[in-house]
Short mmCIF file of all heavy atoms in Angstrom, two decimals:
data_model
loop_
_atom_site.label_atom_id
_atom_site.label_comp_id
_atom_site.label_asym_id
_atom_site.label_seq_id
_atom_site.Cartn_x
_atom_site.Cartn_y
_atom_site.Cartn_z
N GLU A 415 37.71 71.58 46.95
CA GLU A 415 39.01 72.34 46.96
C GLU A 415 38.87 73.52 45.96
O GLU A 415 39.34 74.58 46.25
CB GLU A 415 40.04 71.42 46.39
CG GLU A 415 40.38 70.33 47.45
CD GLU A 415 41.32 69.28 46.99
OE1 GLU A 415 41.77 69.37 45.72
OE2 GLU A 415 41.71 68.28 47.71
N ALA A 416 38.25 73.31 44.79
CA ALA A 416 38.18 74.44 43.85
C ALA A 416 37.24 75.60 44.32
O ALA A 416 37.56 76.70 44.26
CB ALA A 416 37.69 73.95 42.57
N ALA A 417 36.14 75.20 45.08
CA ALA A 417 35.23 76.17 45.67
C ALA A 417 35.90 76.82 46.74
O ALA A 417 35.74 78.14 46.99
CB ALA A 417 33.96 75.45 46.16
N ALA A 418 36.63 76.20 47.63
CA ALA A 418 37.15 76.91 48.73
C ALA A 418 38.33 77.80 48.27
O ALA A 418 38.48 78.96 48.82
CB ALA A 418 37.93 75.86 49.74
N ALA A 419 38.99 77.52 47.12
CA ALA A 419 39.90 78.45 46.67
C ALA A 419 39.32 79.73 46.10
O ALA A 419 39.91 80.63 46.01
CB ALA A 419 40.65 77.75 45.51
N ARG A 420 38.02 79.64 45.59
CA ARG A 420 37.32 80.80 44.97
C ARG A 420 36.74 81.71 46.15
O ARG A 420 36.23 82.80 45.81
CB ARG A 420 36.38 80.30 44.02
CG ARG A 420 36.82 79.73 42.75
CD ARG A 420 35.90 79.63 41.67
NE ARG A 420 34.67 78.70 42.04
CZ ARG A 420 34.50 77.35 41.85
NH1 ARG A 420 35.64 76.79 41.28
NH2 ARG A 420 33.65 76.81 42.30
N LEU A 421 36.57 81.29 47.25
CA LEU A 421 35.90 81.99 48.27
C LEU A 421 36.59 83.33 48.63
O LEU A 421 37.99 83.19 48.75
CB LEU A 421 35.61 81.12 49.49
CG LEU A 421 34.33 80.07 49.48
CD1 LEU A 421 34.31 79.41 50.71
CD2 LEU A 421 33.20 80.86 49.31
N ARG A 422 35.95 84.37 48.90
CA ARG A 422 36.55 85.67 49.35
C ARG A 422 36.47 85.64 50.91
O ARG A 422 35.91 84.76 51.51
CB ARG A 422 35.80 86.90 48.86
CG ARG A 422 35.99 86.94 47.38
CD ARG A 422 35.11 88.32 46.91
NE ARG A 422 35.26 88.47 45.54
CZ ARG A 422 34.67 89.52 44.94
NH1 ARG A 422 33.92 90.43 45.65
NH2 ARG A 422 34.75 89.60 43.63
N GLU A 423 37.18 86.68 51.55
CA GLU A 423 37.03 86.72 53.08
C GLU A 423 35.64 87.07 53.33
O GLU A 423 34.83 87.85 52.76
CB GLU A 423 38.05 87.75 53.44
CG GLU A 423 39.56 87.33 53.31
CD GLU A 423 40.49 88.39 53.87
OE1 GLU A 423 40.00 89.33 54.50
OE2 GLU A 423 41.73 88.20 53.79
N GLU A 424 35.30 86.53 54.57
CA GLU A 424 33.95 86.90 55.12
C GLU A 424 33.93 88.28 55.62
O GLU A 424 34.84 88.69 56.40
CB GLU A 424 33.61 85.87 56.18
CG GLU A 424 32.30 86.17 56.79
CD GLU A 424 31.92 85.12 57.88
OE1 GLU A 424 32.85 84.20 58.22
OE2 GLU A 424 30.83 85.12 58.31
N PRO A 425 32.95 89.12 55.19
CA PRO A 425 32.99 90.50 55.57
C PRO A 425 32.41 90.58 57.00
O PRO A 425 31.74 89.78 57.52
CB PRO A 425 31.95 91.19 54.59
CG PRO A 425 31.15 90.01 54.18
CD PRO A 425 31.97 88.80 54.21
N PRO A 426 32.79 91.70 57.60
CA PRO A 426 32.28 91.90 59.03
C PRO A 426 30.81 92.31 59.01
O PRO A 426 30.14 92.69 58.10
CB PRO A 426 33.10 93.14 59.57
CG PRO A 426 33.43 93.87 58.33
CD PRO A 426 33.54 92.91 57.21
N PRO A 427 30.13 92.07 60.18
CA PRO A 427 28.73 92.45 60.32
C PRO A 427 28.59 93.90 60.08
O PRO A 427 29.36 94.67 60.49
CB PRO A 427 28.26 91.94 61.75
CG PRO A 427 29.49 91.37 62.20
CD PRO A 427 30.70 91.41 61.44
N GLY A 428 27.39 94.27 59.63
CA GLY A 428 27.06 95.68 59.40
C GLY A 428 26.46 95.92 58.15
O GLY A 428 25.98 95.02 57.46
N PRO A 429 26.20 97.20 57.91
CA PRO A 429 25.35 97.49 56.51
C PRO A 429 26.18 97.11 55.37
O PRO A 429 27.41 96.97 55.31
CB PRO A 429 25.32 99.04 56.54
CG PRO A 429 25.60 99.44 58.08
CD PRO A 429 26.46 98.45 58.63
N GLY A 430 25.51 96.54 54.27
CA GLY A 430 26.13 96.18 53.12
C GLY A 430 26.48 94.58 53.14
O GLY A 430 27.01 94.03 52.24
N SER A 431 26.14 93.96 54.33
CA SER A 431 26.41 92.51 54.46
C SER A 431 25.07 91.81 54.52
O SER A 431 24.04 92.33 54.86
CB SER A 431 27.35 92.23 55.54
OG SER A 431 26.75 92.52 56.81
N ALA A 432 25.15 90.52 54.15
CA ALA A 432 24.01 89.58 54.12
C ALA A 432 24.38 88.29 54.81
O ALA A 432 25.37 87.69 54.48
CB ALA A 432 23.51 89.32 52.76
N LEU A 433 23.56 87.98 55.82
CA LEU A 433 23.85 86.67 56.63
C LEU A 433 22.97 85.59 55.99
O LEU A 433 21.66 85.71 55.91
CB LEU A 433 23.47 86.91 58.04
CG LEU A 433 23.59 85.70 58.96
CD1 LEU A 433 25.12 85.20 59.03
CD2 LEU A 433 23.07 85.89 60.40
N VAL A 434 23.70 84.63 55.51
CA VAL A 434 22.88 83.46 54.84
C VAL A 434 23.24 82.22 55.65
O VAL A 434 24.28 81.80 55.94
CB VAL A 434 23.54 83.12 53.34
CG1 VAL A 434 22.91 82.03 52.78
CG2 VAL A 434 23.40 84.42 52.58
N ARG A 435 22.07 81.62 56.11
CA ARG A 435 22.04 80.32 56.81
C ARG A 435 21.52 79.19 55.83
O ARG A 435 20.53 79.39 55.05
CB ARG A 435 21.24 80.44 57.98
CG ARG A 435 21.18 79.20 58.93
CD ARG A 435 20.27 79.34 60.10
NE ARG A 435 20.87 80.38 60.95
CZ ARG A 435 20.25 80.82 62.07
NH1 ARG A 435 19.03 80.35 62.33
NH2 ARG A 435 20.83 81.78 62.82
N VAL A 436 22.38 78.06 55.84
CA VAL A 436 21.87 76.94 54.89
C VAL A 436 21.71 75.73 55.79
O VAL A 436 22.49 75.43 56.63
CB VAL A 436 23.04 76.65 53.91
CG1 VAL A 436 22.78 75.51 53.11
CG2 VAL A 436 23.26 77.92 53.09
N ARG A 437 20.75 74.93 55.51
CA ARG A 437 20.38 73.70 56.15
C ARG A 437 20.46 72.56 55.11
O ARG A 437 19.90 72.56 54.05
CB ARG A 437 19.04 73.73 56.75
CG ARG A 437 18.59 72.44 57.49
CD ARG A 437 17.23 72.66 58.15
NE ARG A 437 17.43 73.45 59.35
CZ ARG A 437 16.36 73.85 60.10
NH1 ARG A 437 15.27 73.20 59.86
NH2 ARG A 437 16.68 74.50 61.19
N LEU A 438 21.25 71.50 55.50
CA LEU A 438 21.53 70.36 54.63
C LEU A 438 20.30 69.38 54.88
O LEU A 438 19.66 69.33 55.83
CB LEU A 438 22.84 69.71 54.95
CG LEU A 438 24.09 70.57 54.70
CD1 LEU A 438 25.31 69.80 55.13
CD2 LEU A 438 24.16 71.00 53.21
N PRO A 439 20.15 68.31 53.96
CA PRO A 439 19.15 67.32 54.15
C PRO A 439 19.35 66.57 55.36
O PRO A 439 18.36 66.03 56.06
CB PRO A 439 19.25 66.43 52.91
CG PRO A 439 19.79 67.34 51.89
CD PRO A 439 20.82 68.33 52.63
N SER A 440 20.68 66.40 55.96
CA SER A 440 20.94 65.69 57.22
C SER A 440 20.58 66.49 58.37
O SER A 440 20.51 65.90 59.46
CB SER A 440 22.52 65.36 57.17
OG SER A 440 23.17 66.53 57.22
N GLY A 441 20.09 67.75 58.36
CA GLY A 441 19.73 68.59 59.36
C GLY A 441 20.80 69.45 59.87
O GLY A 441 20.69 70.24 60.75
N ALA A 442 22.14 69.32 59.36
CA ALA A 442 23.10 70.16 59.64
C ALA A 442 22.91 71.59 59.21
O ALA A 442 22.43 71.80 58.13
CB ALA A 442 24.51 69.59 59.16
N ASN A 443 23.19 72.58 60.05
CA ASN A 443 23.08 73.98 59.75
C ASN A 443 24.41 74.75 59.74
O ASN A 443 25.35 74.42 60.70
CB ASN A 443 22.09 74.72 60.67
CG ASN A 443 20.70 74.08 60.49
OD1 ASN A 443 20.18 74.15 59.52
ND2 ASN A 443 20.28 73.67 61.74
N PHE A 444 24.70 75.58 58.97
CA PHE A 444 25.84 76.44 59.02
C PHE A 444 25.52 77.79 58.29
O PHE A 444 24.53 77.86 57.44
CB PHE A 444 27.11 75.79 58.35
CG PHE A 444 26.85 75.24 57.06
CD1 PHE A 444 26.99 75.82 55.85
CD2 PHE A 444 26.37 73.87 56.84
CE1 PHE A 444 26.71 75.34 54.59
CE2 PHE A 444 26.15 73.22 55.70
CZ PHE A 444 26.26 74.01 54.55
N GLN A 445 26.23 78.81 58.81
CA GLN A 445 25.84 80.25 58.31
C GLN A 445 27.20 80.97 57.93
O GLN A 445 28.25 80.62 58.53
CB GLN A 445 25.01 81.06 59.19
CG GLN A 445 25.69 81.18 60.49
CD GLN A 445 24.89 82.03 61.61
OE1 GLN A 445 23.60 82.17 61.34
NE2 GLN A 445 25.50 82.47 62.60
N ARG A 446 27.06 82.03 57.20
CA ARG A 446 28.10 82.82 56.79
C ARG A 446 27.58 84.25 56.26
O ARG A 446 26.65 84.21 55.69
CB ARG A 446 29.03 82.10 55.71
CG ARG A 446 30.32 82.85 55.33
CD ARG A 446 31.07 82.10 54.38
NE ARG A 446 32.44 82.53 54.09
CZ ARG A 446 32.71 83.58 53.30
NH1 ARG A 446 31.94 84.23 52.70
NH2 ARG A 446 34.04 83.82 53.19
N ARG A 447 28.49 85.19 56.38
CA ARG A 447 28.16 86.55 55.88
C ARG A 447 28.70 86.72 54.51
O ARG A 447 29.95 86.39 54.29
CB ARG A 447 28.63 87.62 56.95
CG ARG A 447 27.76 87.71 58.21
CD ARG A 447 28.13 88.92 59.00
NE ARG A 447 29.52 88.91 59.32
CZ ARG A 447 30.06 88.32 60.47
NH1 ARG A 447 29.12 87.75 61.20
NH2 ARG A 447 31.13 88.32 60.79
N PHE A 448 27.93 87.34 53.71
CA PHE A 448 28.47 87.80 52.39
C PHE A 448 28.22 89.22 52.16
O PHE A 448 27.16 89.71 52.76
CB PHE A 448 27.77 86.82 51.27
CG PHE A 448 28.10 85.43 51.42
CD1 PHE A 448 27.41 84.57 52.18
CD2 PHE A 448 29.21 84.89 50.69
CE1 PHE A 448 27.62 83.30 52.27
CE2 PHE A 448 29.45 83.62 50.85
CZ PHE A 448 28.76 82.77 51.57
N ARG A 449 28.81 89.83 51.26
CA ARG A 449 28.37 91.33 50.74
C ARG A 449 27.16 91.01 50.01
O ARG A 449 26.98 90.17 49.19
CB ARG A 449 29.62 91.93 50.04
CG ARG A 449 30.74 92.21 50.75
CD ARG A 449 31.66 93.11 50.03
NE ARG A 449 32.12 92.56 48.83
CZ ARG A 449 33.16 91.71 48.65
NH1 ARG A 449 33.94 91.46 49.73
NH2 ARG A 449 33.41 91.23 47.43
N GLU A 450 26.18 92.06 50.21
CA GLU A 450 25.10 91.88 49.49
C GLU A 450 25.05 92.03 47.94
O GLU A 450 24.09 91.70 47.15
CB GLU A 450 24.04 92.96 50.12
CG GLU A 450 24.35 94.41 49.82
CD GLU A 450 23.50 95.48 50.52
OE1 GLU A 450 22.52 94.98 51.25
OE2 GLU A 450 23.70 96.57 50.21
N ASP A 451 26.11 92.58 47.60
CA ASP A 451 26.33 92.69 46.07
C ASP A 451 27.09 91.59 45.43
O ASP A 451 27.26 91.51 44.25
CB ASP A 451 27.12 94.15 45.74
CG ASP A 451 28.53 93.98 46.38
OD1 ASP A 451 28.79 93.23 47.22
OD2 ASP A 451 29.23 94.92 46.03
N GLU A 452 27.45 90.60 46.25
CA GLU A 452 28.02 89.41 45.76
C GLU A 452 27.00 88.49 45.04
O GLU A 452 25.78 88.48 45.36
CB GLU A 452 28.68 88.60 46.90
CG GLU A 452 30.05 89.07 47.35
CD GLU A 452 30.72 88.15 48.26
OE1 GLU A 452 31.49 87.25 47.79
OE2 GLU A 452 30.60 88.34 49.51
N ALA A 453 27.48 87.77 44.06
CA ALA A 453 26.54 86.84 43.32
C ALA A 453 26.24 85.62 44.04
O ALA A 453 26.90 85.21 45.08
CB ALA A 453 27.28 86.55 42.02
N LEU A 454 25.10 85.02 43.66
CA LEU A 454 24.77 83.76 44.35
C LEU A 454 25.69 82.65 44.17
O LEU A 454 25.78 81.67 45.04
CB LEU A 454 23.29 83.28 43.74
CG LEU A 454 22.73 82.00 44.37
CD1 LEU A 454 22.39 82.27 45.81
CD2 LEU A 454 21.47 81.59 43.60
N GLU A 455 26.59 82.71 43.05
CA GLU A 455 27.58 81.81 42.99
C GLU A 455 28.53 81.67 44.18
O GLU A 455 29.11 80.62 44.48
CB GLU A 455 28.41 82.05 41.81
CG GLU A 455 27.69 81.81 40.36
CD GLU A 455 28.54 81.93 39.18
OE1 GLU A 455 29.67 82.47 39.29
OE2 GLU A 455 28.09 81.61 38.05
N ALA A 456 28.84 82.78 44.86
CA ALA A 456 29.62 82.79 46.04
C ALA A 456 28.99 81.95 47.20
O ALA A 456 29.71 81.09 47.84
CB ALA A 456 29.81 84.17 46.61
N VAL A 457 27.68 81.98 47.38
CA VAL A 457 26.97 81.15 48.36
C VAL A 457 27.09 79.72 47.91
O VAL A 457 27.26 78.71 48.70
CB VAL A 457 25.49 81.61 48.43
CG1 VAL A 457 24.77 80.70 49.40
CG2 VAL A 457 25.46 82.99 48.87
N LEU A 458 26.99 79.42 46.61
CA LEU A 458 26.99 78.02 46.04
C LEU A 458 28.37 77.40 46.27
O LEU A 458 28.67 76.22 46.74
CB LEU A 458 26.57 77.94 44.58
CG LEU A 458 25.13 78.27 44.30
CD1 LEU A 458 24.88 78.37 42.81
CD2 LEU A 458 24.24 77.25 44.93
#
Side-chain angles (χ1 to χ4, degrees):
E415 293 176 354
R420 289 195 298 271
L421 282 177
R422 297 179 181 181
E423 293 183 3
E424 182 177 4
S431 65
L433 179 63
V434 178
R435 181 180 295 175
V436 175
R437 178 174 291 180
L438 297 178
S440 62
N443 294 306
F444 47 88
Q445 64 183 10
R446 188 180 188 279
R447 287 188 297 276
F448 298 90
R449 290 190 302 273
E450 62 182 8
D451 57 352
E452 282 189 87
L454 181 63
E455 286 183 352
V457 177
L458 294 174

